[in-house]
């Protein structure tokens, strides 16, 4: 049981249809960063921009993610502050600031990396601002997250949008009791939850989660958590529905990950047929 494109759409509201998030990647993004953002990368051959400098250019230098704050609240607060700064700009300056804000959201949250700097690999896709909304950012988020989860077990931080995994657990394993409902009818589903703060050590938390997952009764797994959802209020769900039940390749620049729908059919409330193997007495 793993997150699927339907989970991404319903939880985040990001589109999974449209153009693949891929294209040319560069050894150095210095020229692009200076031309499109008016900022410098951390070193000559790098795709990372200092987060503090990026936020300062938007007038939100002090907007740090508080421990007790959900991703939704953090993004809402940062967006309001950035909107006030953007309202004062016009023309090329407004486009530059909009790209800065998009780089912060995409490079730090959707396709986030470990550590403080912000990735600007998606900068070539932001040169034409009119086409930004046509990309399948939700599919890229899932590819990036899957790729991150395949790293060494000694790594304690996940690159990518980890709140997707948290909310996915809240809906598929409700008995885990890890989240606190906040807004019953809010969509996307990320807005419905308040993340519970745990004061215990990271090692202790991981041990408790492992033990809980190893002992989850079969009947406590919610295989079809979205039954009864009002899809009419979620147009992004209808747009992505043709991709929910397909084997598909997920693209995130140089990362291409297969999503085998047949292997997660039970997650979607379907039943896999019995596979018949040939024998000497029975033809194929």
């Amino acid at each position: 049981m793993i997150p699927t494109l339907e989970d991404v759409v319903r939880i985040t509201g990001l589109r999974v249809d449209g153009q693949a998030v891929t294209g040319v990647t560069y050894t150095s993004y210095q020229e692009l960063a200076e031309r499109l953002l008016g900022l410098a990368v951390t070193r000559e051959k790098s795709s990372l921009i200092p987060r503090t400098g990026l936020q300062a250019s938007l007038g939100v230098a002090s907007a740090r993610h508080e421990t007790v704050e959900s991703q939704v609240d953090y993004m809402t607060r940062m967006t309001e502050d950035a909107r006030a700064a953007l309202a004062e700009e016009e023309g090329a300056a407004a486009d530059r600031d909009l790209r800065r804000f998009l780089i912060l959201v995409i490079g730090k949250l959707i396709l986030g990396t470990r550590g403080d700097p912000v990735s600007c690999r998606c900068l070539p896709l932001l040169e034409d601002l009119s086409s930004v909304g046509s990309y399948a950012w939700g599919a890229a988020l899932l590819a990036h997250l899957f790729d991150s989860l395949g790293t060494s077990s000694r790594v304690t931080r996940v690159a990518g949008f980890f709140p997707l995994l948290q909310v996915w657990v809240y809906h598929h394993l409700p008995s885990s009791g890890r989240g606190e409902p906040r807004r019953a009818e809010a969509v996307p589903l990320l807005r419905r939850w308040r993340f519970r703060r745990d004061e215990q050590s990271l090692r202790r938390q991981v041990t408790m989660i492992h033990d809980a997952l190893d002992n989850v009764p079969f009947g406590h797994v919610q295989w079809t958590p979205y039954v009864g959802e009002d899809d009419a209020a979620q147009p992004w769900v209808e747009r992505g529905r043709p991709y929910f039940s397909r084997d598909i390749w997920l693209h995130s620049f140089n990362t291409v990950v297969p999503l085998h729908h047949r292997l997660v059919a039970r997650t979607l409330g379907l039943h896999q047929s019995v596979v018949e193997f040939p024998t000497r007495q029975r033809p194929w």
Side-chain angles (χ1 to χ4, degrees):
M1 188 168 72
I2 61 174
T4 65
L5 291 178
E6 181 175 9
D7 295 310
V8 172
V9 171
R10 290 187 180 278
I11 292 172
T12 70
L14 292 172
R15 67 182 302 175
V16 297
D17 59 311
Q19 300 182 66
V21 177
T22 186
V24 178
T25 53
Y26 302 92
T27 304
S28 173
Y29 285 78
Q30 183 64 50
E31 186 275 332
L32 273 172
E34 289 180 349
R35 178 166 58 88
L36 298 179
L37 301 177
L39 300 171
V41 293
T42 53
R43 57 184 183 275
E44 183 180 353
K45 293 186 176 181
S46 174
S47 62
L48 300 176
I49 295 176
R51 178 193 57 80
T52 52
L54 182 56
Q55 288 190 191
S57 70
L58 289 167
V60 291
S62 60
R64 293 189 63 86
H65 190 188
E66 303 296 336
T67 304
V68 297
E69 190 175 35
S70 71
Q71 287 285 353
V72 174
D73 292 336
Y74 169 57
M75 281 304 304
T76 300
R77 179 166 56 88
M78 191 168 62
T79 300
E80 291 174 351
D81 293 342
R83 183 180 289 120
L86 288 171
E88 300 175 1
E89 303 287 355
E90 295 180 356
D95 289 347
R96 180 199 60 201
D97 284 346
L98 179 55
R99 289 191 185 94
R100 290 173 176 175
F101 181 75
L102 291 172
I103 281 290
L104 185 60
V105 173
I106 298 171
K108 194 60 182 173
L109 296 178
I110 297 177
L111 305 179
T113 55
R114 296 183 186 89
D116 200 50
V118 180
S119 172
C120 62
R121 281 196 308 164
C122 66
L123 195 50
L125 303 185
L126 306 184
E127 187 160 7
D128 179 9
L129 290 171
S130 64
S131 65
V132 173
S134 65
Y135 290 100
W137 297 108
L141 179 155
L142 193 57
H144 184 68
L145 189 59
F146 282 164
D147 185 62
S148 169
L149 293 174
T151 57
S152 168
S153 60
R154 291 176 295 178
V155 176
T156 57
R157 297 186 64 185
V158 176
F161 194 65
F162 65 88
L164 170 69
L165 294 178
Q166 291 178 283
V167 178
W168 180 82
V169 168
Y170 299 163
H171 285 271
H172 287 274
L173 300 172
S175 63
S176 66
R178 301 294 299 180
E180 298 177 356
R182 167 168 88 157
R183 303 172 185 168
E185 303 299 325
V187 291
L189 301 183
L190 184 64
R191 300 176 59 207
R192 292 188 185 180
W193 298 92
R194 178 181 291 107
F195 302 123
R196 181 178 299 174
R197 184 180 181 181
D198 199 325
E199 300 289 350
Q200 301 180 85
S201 68
L202 179 61
R203 182 180 296 275
R204 177 59 179 165
Q205 291 181 52
V206 171
T207 300
M208 291 178 62
I209 292 173
H210 281 176
D211 291 344
L213 291 177
D214 288 341
N215 295 287
V216 172
F218 179 82
H220 288 196
V221 179
Q222 181 58 259
W223 300 103
T224 55
Y226 308 126
V227 172
E229 287 288 336
D230 182 12
D231 292 350
Q234 305 176 70
W236 48 87
V237 172
E238 292 303 318
R239 287 199 306 266
R241 194 177 298 280
Y243 297 87
F244 291 171
S245 57
R246 294 170 53 183
D247 289 351
I248 196 170
W249 292 96
L250 305 175
H251 292 257
S252 179
F253 296 103
N254 295 339
T255 301
V256 183
V257 180
L259 178 62
H260 296 297
H261 167 73
R262 289 168 295 178
L263 301 182
V264 293
R266 187 61 187 265
T267 305
L268 304 176
L270 306 176
H271 294 278
Q272 300 177 20
S273 59
V274 176
V275 178
E276 296 272 349
F277 293 96
T279 65
R280 291 182 180 180
Q281 290 76 30
R282 186 189 306 167
W284 181 256

